């Protein structure tokens, strides 16, 4: 008799455990459906509250089950009032606790992947509250590495005051996707010039690799080369 009871309990435990795992995925998706606004920014998290309708002039998300469709109401990068809000449409998917949101526009290049708009980790999802933590995409991680290198040579370049223009020169830096340098930068001959130029070369090579890897597009205009460096109020100014 005891053996039968243990067998029934074991079967119920396995059945409940399997159902629970399936239910978590279903509940997460179902709970996400709807409108979210009243956002609060707390450190690296976005805390949304569920709303019945999207406010006309507030940052908001809307998730629909069909397709599945996503809508973001935003004012873009503009932070000065009066703000002008507009909608961005997309699609979304959840894998475990990772929420990815893609641009709904069809890529211009055949076979290209849809553009990833947002990459979030869902830290909490209830009937009333959605808490998202922004996760860096691989492209953003590569770009961050690029910016670290940029800051290294930029800090060296501005480490000296410009008092005598005869002691200053310039060089090109970076790589445009369409070819040619991104720009020109002035530097003093009193800094560690070999180290500075080494950092410039490393940055330019990495930016070229970044452009190829991520399909970056740029203008194809040819930048004019400066003629000289002049000093103004202690700062170097490139003259063309």
């Amino acid at each position: 008799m005891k053996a039968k009871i243990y067998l029934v309990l074991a079967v119920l435990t396995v059945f409940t455990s399997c159902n629970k795992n399936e239910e978590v995925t279903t509940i997460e998706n179902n709970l996400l459906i709807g409108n979210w606004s009243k956002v609060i920014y707390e450190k690296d998290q976005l805390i949304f509250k569920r709303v019945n309708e999207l406010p006309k002039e507030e940052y908001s998300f809307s998730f629909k089950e069909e397709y599945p469709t996503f809508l973001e109401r935003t004012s873009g990068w503009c932070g000065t009032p009066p703000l002008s809000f507009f909608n961005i449409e997309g699609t979304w998917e959840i894998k475990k606790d990772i929420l990815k949101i893609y641009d709904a526009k069809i890529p211009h290049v055949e076979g290209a992947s849809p553009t990833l708009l947002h990459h979030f980790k869902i830290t909490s999802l209830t009937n009333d509250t959605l808490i998202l933590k922004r996760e860096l995409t691989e492209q953003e991680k590569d770009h961050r590495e690029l910016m670290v290198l940029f800051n290294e040579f930029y800090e060296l370049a501005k480490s000296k005051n410009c008092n005598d223009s005869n002691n200053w020169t310039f060089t090109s830096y970076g790589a445009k996707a369409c070819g040619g340098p991104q720009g020109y930068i002035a530097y003093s001959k009193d800094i560690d010039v070999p180290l500075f130029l080494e950092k410039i070369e490393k940055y330019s090579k990495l930016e070229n690799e970044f452009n190829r890897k991520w399909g970056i597009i740029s203008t194809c205009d040819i930048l004019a080369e400066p003629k000289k460096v002049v000093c103004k109020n202690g700062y170097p100014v490139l003259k063309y």
Side-chain angles (χ1 to χ4, degrees), residues 1-18:
M1 182 65 180
K2 288 183 178 179
K4 288 184 179 180
I5 292 173
Y6 291 146
L7 180 60
V8 171
L9 288 174
V11 172
L12 284 174
T13 302
V14 173
F15 181 78
T16 306
S17 175
C18 291

Side-chain angles (χ1 to χ4, degrees), residues 8 14-15 30 49-50 54 58 70 81 90 99-100 103 132-133 142 183 204 213 223 231 239:
V8 171
V14 173
F15 181 78
N30 287 342
K49 291 295 182 183
R50 188 184 294 278
L54 289 186
E58 286 185 34
F70 167 81
L99 169 64
K100 292 184 179 180
D103 191 343
L132 302 174
K133 180 181 179 183
D142 287 351
S204 302
K213 180 178 179 180
L223 294 178
C231 297
K239 286 292 184 179

